[in-house]
Amino acid sequence: MSLMKDLTNGIYKENPVFKLALGMCPFLAVTTSVENALGMGAAATFVLIASNFLVSLFRNLIPSKVRIPCYIVIIATFVTLVDMVMHAYLPALHKSLGIFIPLIVVNCIILGRAEGFANRHPVLNSVADGIGMGIGFTMAMVVLATFRELLGNGTWLNMDVLGSAFQNQPLLIAILAPGAFILLSFIMGFFKILETRKGGCQ
Amino acid sequence: MNASAIMSMLLAAPSSGNQGFDLGRMMAIIIAAIFVNNFVLSRFLGICPFIGVSKQLDSAIGMGAAVIFVMTLATLGSWSVYNLLLVPMNLGYLKTIVFILIIASLVQLVEMILQKFSPSLYRALGIFLPLITTNCAILGVAVLNIDEKYSLGYSLVNAIAAGIGFTLALILMAGLRQRLELADVPPALRGKPMAFLIAGVMSIAFLGFAGLGG
Amino acid sequence: MTRARTFRGGTHPPGNKGLSSGKSIRKIPAPDIVRIPLCQHLGAPSKPVVSKGDTVIRGQEIGAQNGFISLPTHSPVNGTVTGIEDFPMPHRRSGSVVVIETESEEGGQIFEKWDDFHDHSPAEIIERVKQAGISGMGGACFPTYVKLSPPPDKKIDTLLINGVECEPYLTADERLMLERPDDIILGMEILAYTLGVQRCVIGIEINKPDAIDVMEKKGVTVLPLKVKYPQGAEKQLIDAATGREVPAGGLPLDIGVVVQNVATAAAVANAVRDGEPSIRRIITVTGQGVSSPCNYDACVGTLFADLIEESGGYTGDVERLISGGPMMGIALYTDGVPVTKGTSGVLALSPQEVRDIAEGPCIRCGKCVDVCPLKLVPSMIATAAENRRWQMAKEYGALNCMACGTCSYVCPAGRYLVHYIKNAQDAIRSGQGEGV
Amino acid sequence: MEHKRFELAMSPHVGTHQSTRKIMFDVVIALLPALAAATWFFGPGALLIVALSVGAAVLAEYLCLKFMKRPVSFAFDGSAIVTGILLAYNVPPGVPWWLPILGSAFAIAVGKQAFGGLGHNIVNPALLGRAFLMASFPILMTAGWTAPEEWRNGQNNPWETNGIVQEELLEMPNADAISGATPLNVLKQSFDLDKSADLANKEGNHAEALDLEARASGIRHALSQKSTYLNLLVGRRGGCIGETSVLLLLAGALFLIIRGVLEIRLPISYLGTVAIFAWVFGGSGWFNGDPIFHVLAGGVILGGFFMVSDMVTTPVTPKGRIIFGIGAGLLTMIIRRWGGYPEGCSYSILLMNLVTPLIDRFIRPKVFGEVKEND
Amino acid sequence: MNAGLVLLRVLVSQESFGDAVVNPVIVLGAMGLLLGLGLAFAAFKLAVPKDPLVEKISALLPGVNCGGCGYPGCNQFAEAVARGVAPPGGCVAASESINAKIAEVVGVELSDSTKLVALVHCNGGHSARDEFEYHGPSDCVSATLIMSGQKTCSYGCLGFGDCVEVCLFDAIVIGENGIPIVDRNACTGCGKCVEICPKDIIELWPVNREVVVACASRDKGAFARKACTMACIGCRKCIKACPVEAITVEDFLAEIDPFKCINCGLCAAECPTGAILDTAPARPKAYIDGSCIGCTLCVKACPVDAIHGELKEKHEVDSEKCVGCGLCVSKCPKNSIRMIGAKSYQLGQEFRV
Amino acid sequence: MIEMLKLGLVLMLVALIAAVALSLVNSRTAPLIEIQQELEKQNAMSEAAASLMPDDSLAFDSLSIDNLENPYASCDELLQVVKVFLPPDTSRIGYVFIAYGKGYSSTIQTMVATRMDGRVSGTIILNQQETPGLGANIVKPSRLIDHLIGMNGQECLLKKDGGTIDAMTGCTITSRTVVNSVRQGLEDMNEAGLFSDEIAVDEEHTEGGSE
């Protein structure tokens, strides 16, 4: 039961992006297409699960004074692994995610969960939390990427959706930097409205 | 490796031996990093502290100064280790992990040193230092400098300019947020959504710099 | 005539003085029942020294001075005290009044007459001014004797007599200058003698050429001033007259100036020469809401309703009844309030005269900044105050504001700027929201 | 005793007869003469664009207010109309009909209502709307030019009709006729030619470089002719809808000044700065630019009198306003000379809008009687 | 650990891995050692004494320095929490359980006293007459500035809802009657509304005292009645009704002493104007079990004659009449009486005033 | 002291494990990445060279000339020219090179195939991060790219700069970057004497210019 709770926690209740506003840099940067969002989400989820697992496993062995550097090393290792594997097997995705793969290291979500959750929970719960948070992060990215790709390019996951008339004059700003900020702002606002509505009914 | 070889490496770009000092190019790097490709508003680096520490103008200024300072130091460290250690040993793939270690320990050391030896400076800058470890702008500038194959000189220029760009965005943001604190913002957009909306507006305005220095 | 002088900022609201400026002062008898407020001045209310059933004579002290910044109160009539009760006041919800049934208005000489004030020392004159209960009659009602006793380290070199009357509608001071210039001039001489100053100037706006004429003919130094609101505010008057700026948070004393209203000067003259305490004053009853606007010489304790009746009653819709001028006067919810020493006018404004636009958001037009005579940024203070950011309002200088109303007057968004700023002042003074 | 009761309010009890609504409609009136010029030169299409833009702005404002459950009467206070007109004035006359609608809707919804409506927006909504269109539809926004009077005589001959008089140019040696939709585009071309000349010099093609330089300076020479100035004044030139006739814009501005609506410091400091820096670096080298051309061309007059002077997004203090004008003027010239766009007016104002809170915070008038040492 | 070292040695010894493994191991290992030593050295040599409470909070915090709380880093946030400036639950990166722990750490000094919530001493609202029409900013502070507010009763609530605005917990709304209604569950007793109210009619009041005087008028009865139909007119009927002498009347205004009040609600029932409100949603009922010896002490104690029974026989409670005051419980020598049923808050606890 | 050492050792241990793991993975992926990149380059070259001669069996050989410096590239890339030939005949039928140019917001890499007479036969944009929807459209088939075909170094110039090539609407800078970087590459190769003497006119021109 508690496992299930840890798993679902990150998906909506403590969604790292919309609720906690963590991990914003990659979130905004790579959501130009759904494909990128999925790739980034997968990479971050992997790192999240793996680092949560390891941190939880060794949580009693690592002295607290050097815990942060240790966690950073663990996370950085997994990030580098992802970087190398992606470069070797998915070169196109690697290229489009670019600098933001190494920057997963400094994604607050990962270090945050390592410190804030895995550090004081058993392995299984930590992994569940990692999966939940990862899914939450990925879902949030897919939501924003959907808007940006649809509006800015007329496609979804590289599939034509809105037709060529739109594609000739898409709302380019959606895939530019300002579009990311503004759409995110409105999505967060929307979530806020949802929340107050729900609160009002209770 | 003798000293002169190291010196020449430091002063020149790693992949070509004859790239000297070029004022025009330096200006281009500076303008790009501050305005055209502003780290926050166009490259999405350092968003978390940008949103987090922009509520008060005073904090924003302190944070900006701290970022410029650490960015410069981190670039110095990461560039040297990468080009003097990792590349000769063919260990380029370790750059992420090495850089983050350097940055994390650098930040912590600087913080402790400041706290111990200059409490006044610590109060002004030090309290922002911990936040910088997870500021992806720092790691970002280190990695970008390597990707762009800048020489040490250009790397430092780029780092300082990126820091200034970050600070500029942060200070403008703080001013705007403080003004909007007194505004009649729709409840749904109060807080973080508003911060992102302001960032979006700033980002649109910064598009005006596009093409500058190119 | 030399070029009219002025200060920076300010605005020029339509004067509307024509309604009453041609009407000479009419002395009206005391009503059957007078209600004498015990607090007609700034500071502590006077302590009642009569009780129900007592007989009082005109000029008799009915309330004693109660503290340093306080004044005695006198009965304007001969009569019987029928009670001391709470009653609506022009400047607040209610206050204590001594109710007296009028029998007559004659005699009642309490103080001896002084034929030549030079025979008496300044200290004696100050004591007389205090005993006569004279307070500033321009509106602030600050006890006059306090102003006449500067601390010894302050050297006063200039006495400014304020005949500006920059508030629209009001003509009481103008009429006073035209009809009783001798009182004013004597008052000036007494004040100058008391303070020991050589330079003595009367400032008059150039829209009152008759008054300037009269004064100049009498040999008084007149300082012609531009028609601009708030030219009559102490600090602005000093700025225009001497070019000196009263330091923020300071007093005119700090720069060696004392300002007295013309009506105060006349009252001082009456008190010193005739021994009459401050129990009457000149009041303009005007506005399109009254049938025949006029200037009255009425006794303290007369109800506003009586004055209105004297002027032929209300005509048509009256939206707002104001004690004082339209810029700084206080709106009243009833005309059943007594006249005090500081009542310079009673205004009954018709809906057309009252500005009533819905308050909109500040559009940051900056007009308030341009007109603020104190060079504040009213819009920012008000916005801060509106959001209860008292500390921020303080940083922007909220405490310097004198609530002259110029900013609200020009605000195109109809914002209650003065109201917000006053809120901020109250909150700051009561120490609310420190650190916010 | 029952007495008559009255309503109560804080002093002052009287006020001027100005109101936000009146100010806004004054601005609308002041903008109308330029619309006449636009219709004359660009045809009824321009009128349609303005109408659609205004309609969309008012509708968007109405819907936003309705959605946020605020009094919808604000939608008719005229500020949305001003935004609509200004947005339409800032698009080329040849854009498709839906573009201004989209722009106005964005300007009102995102640029204004999201921040809390009139008075709270941080940047000029119309300019934000324009920047949004520029970013979203760069091709439409940079290619939607039509030549003046083209709609009437039916021929698109920008060589004669973009406002630059060609005869002058043709007399120059090595100078071809020039093309370009707006005068500033033409100027930008001359800078491009300068760049090419530098390139040629670097490559060693000195003859080619000389030729290019001659052409560049020829173009600039043609731009500084009296006849060009005259065209710009009258409005016979390519450009955005609202920036056609300098004279009619000035007439509108004069109206505003007479009505006491226009704060004169902003336009003066802005235009002055543009002129000075146009002279300093508006030409090919230093101190040889043409200030008159730079002030007349593009949207500087429109921007200076109607957008720099937007009250909501500029500082409130007199000193702050002068600083704002100088900053915007400098940025305009920097973008014109070295930036990616031929015209920098709107972006420069947007950027300075961002700085406004800081100016307001740090530049305050000295309070009456305040001792200097506190500063 | 040993296994790892063995594995490492095996890996290193194998030629096939050679440089590819040895080099990175040397580089990273050396860096790790150096940095670890450096940091450890610094941590010991450069240590600056810190507030133990701050340390405690810092230890609980995620330490990611994300800045989400608005403070530059976790330490600064911890300091702010320790000083009471920041809410203990302000960390966005920490899970709820951690936040709860932080609250616990901060809250250990707080006694587990009864919660105090805001109570509005006015029930006038639309029942209170307006003296004049007010034009100005729609907030109580501004309205008070003009002739102390538009109501004829100069003590009562003006109803513009300043308290609603300042409440950080959305615990106050303006009800239909134009009077603020406090949600006792949401209210944290922070006192912001008390501070803002220009009429000083909001007071922090123990949440479990549910019978309250909803009036602040010190006007004479007749005048108060004229100004507001809900006004306390100082008739003193409540004093007579109160079984525990918890009520006093001063300046024509009744006051309930929360220390003495037993929530019986008898005063509210007696009040002719409705100035005393009984806000208890439901009352517990006394129940007498079989151990009753029929001493009749409870009968004497009961203010509403709800207990009856023969001497030396088990007594019964008429639950229709019982008001749940609990007076009988304390009188019963055999502890035979219990209070049963809905009780929103526990009585009898201490509280701070 | 012991405590300090312990902390350092723990961090070292973690770092060691990380190093081992990474080096192992790297030894697996590094060759793959290299192959990947090589393949990518090969593909691009084949694609570009297909414009010279639509034949799958074209082969490439890097030239042993000195690397040519390209002053327009942003990151000090050198011009590397690859000879194209049709096996078994090893005589060159053209060249392939990558032109680097600093564009609007990124460095644009254009792979260019040229005939022996120094005229462009085909171009492929390898790498760019220009503004999406604007400059980024350069990768799509466009008039600009078509226009380049058949041009030699002299002719390769935008209309705005005095040439004949139309810039892409709304993105002059990107267009100019591509055109100028291609021209520069061509001229460098020309100066290096890689092109056959058939284009006498152009040779003259070049000489005249270089004096």
Side-chain angles (χ1 to χ4, degrees), chain F residues 86-134:
Chain F
L86 184 64
D89 179 14
T90 55
S91 65
R92 34 185 112 155
I93 61 167
Y95 302 99
V96 173
F97 68 93
I98 301 176
Y100 294 86
K102 179 88 180 122
Y104 193 74
S105 57
S106 63
T107 300
I108 305 172
Q109 299 178 12
T110 316
M111 180 156 276
V112 186
T114 65
R115 298 181 202 291
M116 286 307 294
D117 60 357
R119 288 181 187 276
V120 175
S121 75
T123 58
I124 296 166
I125 306 293
L126 287 185
N127 230 339
Q128 56 80 27
Q129 272 153 13
E130 298 290 282
T131 320
L134 260 189

Side-chain angles (χ1 to χ4, degrees), chain D residues 101-274:
Chain D
I101 296 182
L102 203 63
S104 297
F106 181 90
I108 294 291
V110 178
K112 188 170 159 198
Q113 289 301 334
F115 291 100
L118 180 66
H120 301 304
N121 48 308
I122 51 173
V123 294
N124 188 324
L127 290 177
L128 188 72
R130 177 184 189 262
F132 160 77
L133 292 178
M134 277 298 279
S136 291
F137 311 103
I139 296 171
L140 293 179
M141 287 293 285
T142 47
W145 309 111
T146 50
E149 298 182 71
E150 174 190 337
W151 68 285
R152 234 178 298 116
N153 51 33
Q155 42 183 289
N156 183 358
N157 189 0
W159 286 21
E160 277 168 14
T161 47
N162 63 6
I164 298 124
V165 177
Q166 299 284 323
E167 293 87 32
E168 308 278 348
L169 195 59
L170 290 170
E171 286 164 14
M172 299 276 301
N174 290 324
D176 318 344
I178 43 175
S179 72
T182 70
L184 284 172
N185 273 343
V186 174
L187 181 70
K188 200 88 188 175
Q189 260 182 53
S190 79
F191 296 141
D192 287 344
L193 288 173
D194 279 339
K195 261 190 209 162
S196 302
D198 281 353
L199 215 80
N201 262 332
K202 230 175 184 173
E203 287 169 17
N205 296 340
H206 299 295
E208 195 187 329
L210 278 176
D211 181 50
L212 288 168
E213 271 166 21
R215 283 173 57 198
S217 65
I219 290 175
R220 284 192 288 268
H221 179 76
L223 292 181
S224 298
Q225 293 308 307
K226 274 204 193 74
S227 42
T228 306
Y229 294 161
L230 194 68
N231 275 342
L232 292 174
L233 272 174
V234 173
R236 197 181 299 115
R237 56 158 147 180
C240 290
I241 290 177
E243 56 193 38
T244 46
S245 171
V246 170
L247 282 179
L248 290 176
L249 284 170
L250 286 176
L254 194 67
F255 169 75
L256 287 185
I257 292 169
I258 291 168
R259 297 281 290 178
V261 171
L262 194 70
E263 151 63 78
I264 197 71
R265 291 184 191 93
L266 278 165
I268 286 187
S269 64
Y270 175 70
L271 294 174
T273 311
V274 167

Side-chain angles (χ1 to χ4, degrees), chain D residues 23-74:
Chain D
I23 290 180
M24 291 302 167
F25 281 103
D26 276 350
V27 176
V28 171
I29 292 168
L31 282 165
L32 287 181
L35 181 60
T39 316
W40 174 262
F41 289 114
F42 297 129
L47 200 60
L48 182 70
I49 287 173
V50 175
L52 287 173
S53 172
V54 169
V58 175
L59 187 68
E61 179 117 318
Y62 179 82
L63 291 177
C64 282
L65 289 166
K66 193 117 193 163
F67 176 70
M68 293 192 294
K69 301 192 179 71
R70 289 184 177 182
V72 289
S73 58
F74 281 134

Side-chain angles (χ1 to χ4, degrees), chain A residues 28-94:
Chain A
L28 289 165
V30 304
T31 43
T32 47
S33 73
V34 176
E35 194 183 358
N36 285 356
L38 285 172
M40 186 67 186
T45 307
F46 167 73
V47 176
L48 201 47
I49 296 170
S51 62
N52 260 14
F53 172 75
L54 272 193
V55 167
S56 177
L57 199 62
F58 294 122
R59 68 184 187 277
N60 296 324
L61 297 176
I62 298 173
S64 74
K65 280 221 160 58
V66 288
R67 66 179 200 274
I68 299 279
C70 285
Y71 297 162
I72 288 179
V73 171
I74 291 172
I75 294 167
T77 308
F78 286 115
V79 170
T80 312
L81 286 182
V82 169
D83 193 5
M84 293 192 296
V85 170
M86 205 181 259
H87 201 173
Y89 297 102
L90 298 164
L93 186 61
H94 182 267

Side-chain angles (χ1 to χ4, degrees), chain F residues 138-152:
Chain F
I138 196 93
V139 294
K140 295 183 184 167
S142 67
R143 264 177 68 199
L144 181 93
I145 299 293
D146 292 347
H147 228 117
L148 280 173
I149 293 170
M151 293 207 154
N152 66 22

